[in-house]
Amino acid sequence: MNSSDMALLNLYNKVSGTLRSITGLFVHSPGPILALLAAVFYFITDMSSYAGNLILNQWMVFMASAFPGAIVCFVLTCFRCNDVISAVQRAPLLIFFIGSLQTLGQYGVVYSIMVIGPGKATTLYYTMPIFTILLNCLRKADVDSKSHYVLTALSVTGVVLTSGSFFEHTDDSERTYPGIISQIAAGCLALTAAAMHAGVIIARKITADYHIDSFIYLSSFYAQFSLTAVVLCTVNSAWSVPDTVKDTVFVMTTGVTSLMGWVFLLWASLVGHPSTVAIILTSGVAMAYGGQTLLFDIPLEPLPILGAVFVCVACVGVAIVGLVDSSDVRDEEMPSESSEQEQTDDESSRLVTK
């Protein structure tokens, strides 16, 4: 065997070893990988939503975002009609309410992406963990941890820095009052989307006793999202189609990748720790800024970048606090389990003695 064959064999062994390691990691700890896949699909959704607004009007972008998921959920509902009917009979208002929160949040985040760009919109949307803390505090009437005050302050600082850039534009059309107001409105909608989706998390925690499958909520969301998109396109006379097949496929990518992002996120939340998932999802902010610069030549601005750092640090901090809290709970539970085991051993020994 000559040197070139040996080199190829070594390369093959390294590649196959790496693939085996990745496969083993996915099998034993799939949560982080699934969360990363969710972040990647959301990144593609952000980029295609922004590009779709350049190809079509915003109303058709909403339509493209809604219908692929609506079709998939409709088909699955036909196969699981008994489960859907049972859930609707048990909690119709709850399913409608959570679906409505998701729908309003989705409109907010997609619109903000189209107006202020993927980077700023994603940064503002990733304040969702802070809204989750605030809503949870309102529900419990107390604060879980003093560190939450610091994390909330960091997140608010990031929002202020990101929003401050709305007033600093070189484009004369964006420097007008309508342009500034449009950007501020888009930023507020991104924050509203974060609050809405945080409300979904809290509402599902409160109503966990109903044991309603995530698929039911997802179907409610896509049903409302697609129906309202049809109404908006009709009212605004905005029905149109892309000029080429390539543009059509590109626009439809928004809905397909959005659905895949939801699926992988739900899957990651089921098999992985929620705090770990939240940490990995913050990579979406870096992806959004990098993608908008490479694909659309949107220049990087110092204030939004600094704001993104503050928001990401706050998001990661919330996740770390969650990991520490869950670890403390496990540590508190372990002595009780061991004491129960010792008590059982003592009773067994007494029985043997008798």
Side-chain angles (χ1 to χ4, degrees), residues 123-165:
T123 298
L124 296 176
Y125 178 73
Y126 270 90
T127 58
M128 184 174 63
I130 302 301
F131 282 107
T132 304
I133 290 174
L134 296 176
L135 291 175
N136 199 44
C137 291
L138 291 176
R139 181 171 69 93
K140 293 183 177 181
D142 61 1
V143 179
D144 293 334
S145 173
K146 292 181 179 180
S147 59
H148 288 162
Y149 286 119
V150 178
L151 297 173
T152 302
L154 285 174
S155 186
V156 171
T157 303
V159 170
V160 171
L161 290 173
T162 303
S163 303
S165 65

Side-chain angles (χ1 to χ4, degrees), residues 28-335:
H28 296 292
S29 182
I33 296 177
L34 293 172
L36 183 59
L37 288 174
V40 170
F41 278 111
Y42 283 139
F43 158 71
I44 299 173
T45 301
D46 296 343
M47 297 300 111
S48 57
S49 296
Y50 186 81
N53 191 42
L54 304 177
I55 299 172
L56 295 174
N57 58 75
Q58 60 186 7
W59 311 112
M60 286 303 297
V61 174
F62 291 139
M63 180 72 71
S65 300
F67 259 85
I71 293 171
V72 172
C73 287
F74 176 77
V75 173
L76 293 177
T77 299
C78 293
F79 284 100
R80 299 184 55 183
C81 58
N82 292 332
D83 295 335
V84 174
I85 292 172
S86 175
V88 171
Q89 288 176 343
R90 282 185 286 129
L93 293 179
L94 175 63
I95 294 173
F96 177 80
F97 174 71
I98 290 181
S100 298
L101 286 180
Q102 285 184 272
T103 301
L104 293 172
Q106 192 71 6
Y107 272 114
V109 71
V110 173
Y111 178 79
S112 63
I113 287 170
M114 292 187 290
V115 175
I116 61 177
K120 295 175 186 176
T122 305
T123 298
L124 296 176
Y125 178 73
Y126 270 90
T127 58
M128 184 174 63
I130 302 301
F131 282 107
T132 304
I133 290 174
L134 296 176
L135 291 175
N136 199 44
C137 291
L138 291 176
R139 181 171 69 93
K140 293 183 177 181
D142 61 1
V143 179
D144 293 334
S145 173
K146 292 181 179 180
S147 59
H148 288 162
Y149 286 119
V150 178
L151 297 173
T152 302
L154 285 174
S155 186
V156 171
T157 303
V159 170
V160 171
L161 290 173
T162 303
S163 303
S165 65
F166 297 159
F167 301 94
E168 299 180 358
H169 292 286
T170 56
D171 190 349
D172 292 335
S173 64
E174 292 181 345
R175 225 184 298 177
T176 60
Y177 283 112
I180 293 174
I181 291 174
S182 176
Q183 298 228 352
I184 292 174
C188 291
L189 284 175
L191 292 173
T192 302
M196 292 288 182
H197 287 168
V200 170
I201 295 173
I202 298 299
R204 291 189 62 176
K205 284 184 179 180
I206 296 174
T207 59
D209 293 338
Y210 284 93
H211 301 292
I212 296 176
D213 196 291
S214 299
F215 159 73
I216 307 296
Y217 292 125
L218 197 62
S219 297
S220 174
F221 154 60
Y222 272 113
Q224 296 181 57
F225 191 22
S226 58
L227 288 175
T228 52
V230 170
V231 172
L232 289 172
C233 283
T234 303
V235 170
N236 292 280
S237 301
W239 291 98
S240 62
V241 294
D243 296 330
T244 64
V245 176
K246 179 182 177 181
D247 287 345
T248 303
V249 173
F250 195 79
V251 170
M252 293 304 295
T253 300
T254 303
V256 175
T257 54
S258 177
L259 174 63
M260 295 302 296
W262 277 107
V263 170
F264 278 110
L265 180 59
L266 291 173
W267 192 2
S269 301
L270 288 174
V271 301
H273 196 286
S275 296
T276 305
V277 172
I279 291 174
I280 294 173
L281 284 178
T282 56
S283 62
V285 176
M287 293 181 192
Y289 273 110
Q292 73 175 21
T293 302
L294 294 174
L295 298 177
F296 305 110
D297 293 327
I298 300 176
L300 295 176
E301 303 171 58
L303 283 180
I305 293 295
L306 187 59
V309 171
F310 275 95
V311 170
C312 288
V313 168
C315 186
V316 172
V318 171
I320 292 174
V321 169
L323 285 170
V324 172
D325 290 344
S326 62
S327 177
D328 291 342
V329 170
R330 286 195 300 268
D331 291 341
E332 290 175 359
E333 290 176 350
M334 287 182 64

